[in-house]
Amino acid sequence: MTTPHKLEMARDLDAEPLHSYDVFPVYQKASWELSDIPWDEFRPDLVRPEYVAFAIGAVMGESNSIAAQHGFFNEFADDYDFSAFVCLWGYQELQHHLAFKKWLRLAGTDVGYEQINAMRAPYPPGITPSATLATNIISEIATNHMYKCVSQVAEEPVLTKIMKRASGDEARHAREFIHYTARRLVTHPHELASVLETFYVYMADPEGRYNHPVSKFKGNLPELDGHITIDEVFRYFGEVDDGSAWDRIHKQLLSTLGELTGESVVKLRDIRRILAELPRPAEDSR
């Protein structure tokens, strides 16, 4: 995860403005190809219905990267560096989508194009650009732990290897979304409230456990009526997790807010406290 030292670099407006220049070689070194997955080790005898449902949900969830890229390019039209990072991020997310899709075909099923295509429409802008970034921090951290947790209980070896690869990617994605959030808050400090609110809404909702932000935006598409969605991925995650993975997600999200705000954030009430202490808009304009 991003260290405080690196966040200080993100906040330094005199530092290298093209952070994606540094991200690219890191991602190249850590990248993998579909050919790196040992497809010949696929064990049809170990495929279970819940694995198939999980993989279908993963295909649906990862397919959102196209819509997200479109939304990012629109909302951050004045930020070349972040847009360059989005291109790197989007490639890896699409690879996850294709890897799970290939596994499904080995398992004798697939996801229809109509359902995938329904996810294509871009996301609307967030309350603020910083809130949009915050939503993606949550998404990446949650997905990182979800894949890691499920990979430890799934018995089909190829599916396990896909999840382990994807989990590492998601952790690196979270690190960079934190970087770009910290950088934006330097020049747009009034957007901090929207970041805190985004985290609080997700973490305080008792029904938000084992949910993904994508389901809040695209869970009611008519084309998905009766179809498996990303909700199945997190439902299964909740079924196999003994609570420790969710606790790690919770602690990591709070720790991230601590890094972004420079304050101690160990409980939800700390978020409310920081929000209450922020200057009111009227005071900002004086």
Side-chain angles (χ1 to χ4, degrees):
M1 188 48 60
T2 304
T3 65
H5 174 68
K6 289 184 178 179
L7 284 192
E8 286 306 312
M9 292 175 62
R11 296 182 178 109
D12 182 1
L13 299 182
D14 294 324
E16 168 61 59
L18 200 62
H19 178 63
S20 54
Y21 175 84
D22 296 320
V23 173
F24 185 71
V26 174
Y27 277 21
Q28 272 202 320
K29 186 175 181 180
S31 68
W32 52 280
E33 300 178 4
L34 289 182
S35 59
D36 293 324
I37 302 296
W39 302 105
D40 57 347
E41 295 179 11
F42 177 72
R43 290 281 303 276
D45 57 308
L46 296 179
V47 173
R48 295 164 53 178
E50 55 265 39
Y51 298 170
V52 173
F54 178 93
I56 291 174
V59 167
M60 296 301 295
E62 298 287 4
S63 71
N64 277 273
S65 63
I66 303 297
Q69 287 181 77
H70 193 158
F72 283 139
F73 292 144
N74 287 339
E75 194 168 358
F76 293 85
D78 60 346
D79 191 336
Y80 178 90
D81 179 42
F82 178 66
S83 298
F85 162 71
V86 167
C87 292
L88 304 177
W89 168 85
Y91 175 88
Q92 294 189 340
E93 296 287 3
L94 182 60
Q95 182 168 252
H96 300 168
H97 164 90
L98 298 174
F100 283 112
K101 186 176 179 66
K102 182 168 182 175
W103 184 89
L104 281 171
R105 290 185 174 182
L106 288 177
T109 188
D110 206 345
V111 177
Y113 180 74
E114 179 184 0
Q115 284 73 39
I116 293 175
N117 193 49
M119 312 298 283
R120 172 61 185 85
Y123 286 99
I127 298 172
T128 69
S130 292
T132 297
L133 295 172
T135 299
N136 282 271
I137 292 173
I138 295 169
S139 299
E140 303 293 348
I141 289 176
T143 307
N144 160 240
H145 288 285
M146 177 273 294
Y147 282 145
K148 187 182 300 183
C149 175
V150 177
S151 72
Q152 293 169 351
V153 299
E155 297 177 346
E156 201 295 302
V158 175
L159 181 62
T160 294
K161 288 181 170 59
I162 294 171
M163 286 188 282
K164 287 180 177 178
R165 292 282 192 174
S167 176
D169 290 343
E170 306 293 6
R172 286 182 287 274
H173 297 165
R175 180 181 63 206
E176 304 313 331
F177 277 111
I178 293 170
H179 171 96
Y180 285 106
T181 304
R183 190 181 71 178
R184 182 170 179 86
L185 289 174
V186 173
T187 53
H188 300 78
H190 59 283
E191 294 183 3
L192 176 58
S194 67
V195 172
L196 292 163
E197 290 164 354
T198 298
F199 273 69
Y200 188 84
V201 167
Y202 179 80
M203 298 175 70
D205 180 5
E207 297 182 359
R209 288 172 65 99
Y210 306 112
N211 271 331
H212 191 281
V214 163
S215 66
K216 294 182 180 294
F217 294 99
K218 297 201 172 183
N220 295 319
L221 293 173
E223 294 88 346
L224 304 184
D225 185 32
H227 192 273
I228 293 173
T229 68
I230 193 173
D231 288 338
E232 175 61 25
V233 171
F234 279 79
R235 186 206 64 75
Y236 188 58
F237 171 36
E239 182 179 306
V240 301
D241 178 32
D242 61 3
S244 59
W246 171 256
D247 286 343
R248 285 191 288 272
I249 291 172
H250 202 264
K251 289 177 181 178
Q252 191 170 345
L253 292 176
L254 292 174
S255 174
T256 295
L257 279 182
E259 290 191 274
L260 291 173
T261 62
E263 301 202 32
S264 175
V265 184
V266 295
K267 294 186 179 297
L268 282 173
R269 63 171 176 263
D270 292 324
I271 302 178
R272 297 198 303 269
R273 171 182 54 79
I274 297 171
L275 275 168
E277 293 172 352
L278 290 178
R280 296 180 180 275
E283 295 174 350
D284 290 340
S285 61
R286 291 174 186 171

